[in-house]
Amino acid sequence: MFSRLRWGLTLLYCVVALLLVASIGGGTYVIIARYFEDVVDLALQHKMTHEFHLLAAPIPAELAFADRDWSLIRNELSPLGRHPQNAGPITAAQAIERAQSVMGARTVERVKQSNEDGLLLYEVRFEDGGEVIVDAATGRVRATKREDHEELVEVPASQEISTAAYDAELAAIFVLPLSSSGQILFDPNLAAPAPIQANQAALQAALQNGSDVRTMTSASGERIRLLTYRLTRDDGPAALQLGRVQTDQQLVLNQLVMGLLVIGGFGIGLLGIGSWWLAGRSIQPMQQAWARQQQFVASASHELRTPLTLIRASAEVALRGISAEQQDQRELLTDVVQEADHMRRMVDDLLTLSRLDTHQMPMQRQRVVIGPLLDDMRRQAERLASDAQIVIAISTDNVDVIADRARLRQVLLILLDNALRYTPKDGQITLSSARQGRIVQIRVSDTGSGIAPEHLPHIFDHFYRADQTRGVSNNSGLGLAIARGLIDAMGGQIMASSALDRGTVVTLTLPVATHNQQPEPNESADQIDQPQRLG
C-alpha cells in the first residue's frame, strides 16, 4: 500500500516538475521565436523604407515609424558606432545627431570645429553643460561629459559595439520589384539571387490592402518571412516584395530545443530522485502510525484471547452445576458462552486482518482441485441450509488452481455464511466454477435480498455494514474484508454484483495451475505482495 502511495507521490511531483520545466522551456522558445520574428519584420520594414527612398516613392506612415524604431534599436546597441551612410567626413548636423544619440534629446547650445593633432573634431555643447566630442572624419564619439561641472571622459574605441549583426540582418534580405501581373522587373540582389519567385497571393493582397506580411515555405523547405508593399508611382514597379530566409534562426531555435530537452531530461532525473526521497519522507509518519496501529490491533487481539477463553470456560463450568429448576441462570450463562464465542471470532478476525494488512499472513500456495473442494463446501453448508429450506446447487469444471487450500476454504465459508444469512426461505445458493483462459472464476450466487447500488462499492471495506438494506444487523463487517485480503494475498481478485430483491453474485478469480507448476510452500504474503496479472 505504502509502496504504491510513494510511487504515486513521486509521479505527481515529477509531473508537476515536468509541467514547470515545459512551461519555462516553452515560454523561452516562444519569446526567442517572437523576438526573431519582430527583428526580421523590423529589418524588412527598414529595408522597404530604404527601397522607397531609392525609388523616390511616398513612404507610408507605418514604414517611417518602423525605420525610426530600427535606428533607435541600432543606436542603443551601438551608440558609439559609425552610421553606414557616414562613409566620409560628417557635417555639423550629423555630428549633432551623433551627440544626441549618445546624450539624449537635449537642446544644443553650440557646435564648434577644432583641430587637434591634425584631427578635425566637432565640439557639441548642450545647454545643460553636457558636451560631446565627435570625430569629423569617422563620426566616432571620442569623449563625453554629462554635466557642466564634470570633466570630459575619453571613450576608448574598444567600447564600441559592433553592428555587424544588424547589418547582416539587412544584407540577408532579398528584393523583388514586381509589376501588377507579378513579373520581376529587374534583379537588384547583387550578392545572391532571390531564393523564390514572386508570391502571387502576397502580391494580390498587397495590391488590394496596401501591404501584406506572411511566412511561407519555399520549394526547398526553407521558411521565408515575406513583406510586400504597393507603390503609388506610375513610372515604377507596382509593388516591392522583400523576403528574409529564416534558416539560420530556425537552426538556433532547433539548438535551443535540443538544449532544453537535454537540460530538462537531466533536471527531471534529478527531480525524480528528489521526489522519491521527498515522497518517502512525506509518508514516513503515516507508515509509523499505521505500523503502531497494526501492532496495537495484533497485540490486543492476542491478549484478549486468554481472558475470553477463561470467561467461556468459567461459564461452562458454572452451567454444568446449575439444576433444572434454575432456568433463568442457565439462560444467562448460555448467553455468556455464546457472546464469548462471538467475541473470540471477532478477535480472530481482527488478528487476521492485522496480519493481512501488514503482509504477515503465511500462505501455502499449491495446486488445488476446485471440484472436490466445492462439493465438500456444499455438503457442509447443506446442514444449515436444510433448516432454512434453502437449496444449494453446484456446477463446476474439474480444473486446478494455485491457491492456499485452507485460506480458500475460509473465503468460501465466509461467502456461504453471508449467502445463507441473507437468503430467505425457499431460496437457492449456487456454487460454480469455470475456466476463462489463464484464470478460473469461482462464483457464489444467491437469490437473497441483494445489496443497494450505493453500498456495493464499499462492501469489502473494513467494518462496513450494509445490513440496514438487507434486514440483518448481526455481523461485524469483517468477513468480506478478510475474504478480499486473502484472495489478494493468493494472487487473485474478488468482485461482487447485486440487484435488490434479486440476489448477489460474488466472483473469485484465481490463476490456473499449469501441468509443470510446483507448489510454493511456506510463501508469505509479503512475498506475493505483487500479484501476477492474469490474461
Side-chain angles (χ1 to χ4, degrees):
M1 177 180 66
F2 289 106
S3 177
R4 290 194 298 270
L5 178 60
R6 188 174 187 181
W7 276 111
L9 287 174
T10 301
L11 180 62
L12 176 62
Y13 295 154
C14 287
V15 168
V16 172
L18 181 62
L19 292 176
L20 179 62
V21 171
S23 61
I24 295 175
T28 303
Y29 182 91
V30 170
I31 290 173
I32 294 179
R34 184 61 183 270
Y35 167 77
F36 281 156
E37 183 176 301
D38 290 344
V39 168
V40 169
D41 287 349
L42 201 58
L44 288 171
Q45 292 170 343
H46 175 76
K47 183 71 171 178
M48 184 68 75
T49 305
H50 179 69
E51 296 298 326
F52 268 74
H53 274 300
L54 293 178
L55 295 173
I59 300 176
E62 65 271 17
L63 286 183
F65 285 119
D67 187 57
R68 183 198 62 185
D69 293 341
W70 174 269
S71 299
L72 287 175
I73 292 176
R74 192 172 186 274
N75 288 336
E76 286 177 3
L77 291 180
S78 181
L80 310 179
R82 172 180 169 185
H83 284 291
Q85 62 267 28
N86 296 336
I90 64 173
T91 64
Q94 290 173 328
I96 293 174
E97 181 185 352
R98 296 297 292 123
Q100 288 180 329
S101 69
V102 176
M103 304 292 287
R106 303 184 183 188
T107 303
V108 177
E109 179 181 329
R110 61 181 175 81
V111 179
K112 184 178 71 171
Q113 275 191 349
S114 64
N115 194 311
E116 182 179 337
D117 297 332
L119 295 176
L120 183 62
L121 304 176
Y122 283 106
E123 298 177 3
V124 181
R125 184 174 179 84
F126 297 94
E127 289 184 351
D128 59 2
E131 188 174 345
V132 177
I133 306 299
V134 182
D135 191 328
T138 63
R140 187 173 72 84
V141 175
R142 288 187 167 272
T144 63
K145 72 172 183 177
R146 295 288 176 180
E147 305 294 342
D148 193 22
H149 60 275
E150 294 180 352
E151 296 182 357
L152 280 169
V153 178
E154 185 176 354
V155 179
S158 59
Q159 292 187 9
E160 298 183 18
I161 303 175
S162 173
T163 58
Y166 278 81
D167 293 338
E169 192 73 36
L170 293 175
I173 296 174
F174 61 87
V175 181
L176 298 177
L178 305 177
S179 66
S180 57
S181 61
Q183 293 182 346
I184 300 176
L185 300 179
F186 57 92
D187 188 2
N189 305 292
L190 303 178
I196 61 170
Q197 296 297 317
N199 187 287
Q200 299 299 324
L203 173 63
Q204 296 304 319
L207 292 177
Q208 182 177 355
N209 304 318
S211 65
D212 177 80
V213 59
R214 66 182 63 195
T215 301
M216 59 166 293
T217 303
S218 67
S220 59
E222 296 176 318
R223 286 171 54 85
I224 298 175
R225 189 71 171 170
L226 207 61
L227 176 66
T228 308
Y229 259 87
R230 179 184 63 198
L231 281 91
T232 56
R233 291 190 53 170
D234 298 330
D235 57 347
L240 287 177
Q241 197 165 85
L242 276 63
R244 206 275 194 195
V245 178
Q246 296 179 293
T247 304
D248 56 339
Q249 298 177 353
Q250 192 61 45
L251 179 61
V252 172
L253 291 175
N254 292 340
Q255 292 174 343
L256 173 64
V257 170
M258 290 301 299
L260 290 175
L261 289 177
V262 172
I263 297 174
F266 183 72
I268 289 297
L270 291 179
L271 287 172
I273 296 174
S275 298
W276 177 259
W277 175 82
L278 182 60
R281 290 293 300 271
S282 300
I283 66 175
Q284 188 175 6
M286 190 187 309
Q287 286 178 304
Q288 295 173 349
W290 177 261
R292 287 193 294 267
Q293 175 186 344
Q294 296 305 312
Q295 182 63 36
F296 169 77
V297 172
S299 299
S301 301
H302 182 74
E303 294 298 328
L304 284 173
R305 284 183 168 187
T306 300
L308 287 174
T309 302
L310 290 176
I311 291 173
R312 189 183 190 286
S314 300
E316 286 183 336
V317 171
L319 191 59
R320 296 191 195 101
I322 293 179
S323 62
E325 291 78 13
Q326 298 173 308
Q327 185 62 30
D328 292 342
Q329 295 185 13
R330 178 178 294 277
E331 291 179 355
L332 179 61
L333 291 173
T334 301
D335 290 341
V336 171
V337 172
Q338 291 176 351
E339 289 303 318
D341 289 339
H342 178 63
M343 286 294 296
R344 178 60 183 267
R345 288 192 296 270
M346 287 188 61
V347 168
D348 289 342
D349 289 346
L350 284 172
L351 184 59
T352 300
L353 276 178
S354 176
R355 289 176 176 174
L356 286 171
D357 290 338
T358 56
H359 306 296
Q360 295 178 356
M361 176 67 70
M363 284 288 159
Q364 181 74 29
R365 295 181 66 188
Q366 57 186 345
R367 184 187 299 270
V368 178
V369 183
I370 292 298
L373 177 62
L374 294 184
D375 190 59
D376 184 44
M377 301 300 301
R378 176 183 61 81
R379 287 196 304 270
Q380 292 189 26
E382 277 183 343
R383 301 168 188 170
L384 298 175
S386 60
D387 296 336
Q389 299 182 9
I390 297 175
V391 177
I392 298 182
I394 185 171
S395 173
T396 177
D397 292 345
N398 194 20
V399 294
D400 297 353
V401 298
I402 292 297
D404 186 311
R405 181 181 179 87
R407 298 303 180 184
L408 180 56
R409 181 185 179 89
Q410 182 179 355
V411 171
L412 293 174
L413 282 174
I414 292 172
L415 299 181
L416 282 171
D417 179 67
N418 283 345
L420 288 169
R421 186 180 300 158
Y422 302 127
T423 301
K425 182 180 178 180
D426 297 329
Q428 179 174 314
I429 299 173
T430 303
L431 297 173
S432 62
S433 66
R435 177 170 179 171
Q436 301 288 337
R438 297 171 56 194
I439 64 172
V440 175
Q441 292 185 341
I442 304 172
R443 289 188 175 89
V444 179
S445 56
D446 62 61
T447 58
S449 56
I451 305 172
E454 63 270 20
H455 296 290
L456 193 60
H458 308 289
I459 61 173
F460 294 106
D461 296 345
H462 292 15
F463 303 103
Y464 190 86
R465 291 163 51 173
D467 295 331
Q468 293 181 354
T469 64
R470 305 179 73 171
V472 185
S473 60
N474 61 350
N475 68 60
S476 60
L478 297 177
L480 290 177
I482 292 174
R484 183 183 64 175
L486 291 174
I487 291 298
D488 288 346
M490 285 186 280
Q493 294 179 345
I494 184 170
M495 61 198 74
S497 60
S498 184
L500 287 176
D501 300 324
R502 295 180 60 184
T504 302
V505 178
V506 180
T507 303
L508 314 177
T509 60
L510 291 168
V512 173
T514 59
H515 293 294
N516 57 353
Q517 192 163 4
Q518 299 297 324
E520 303 175 15
N522 302 321
E523 184 176 30
S524 61
D526 56 356
Q527 289 176 294
I528 53 176
D529 184 38
Q530 300 293 333
Q532 67 179 43
R533 297 297 176 189
L534 306 179

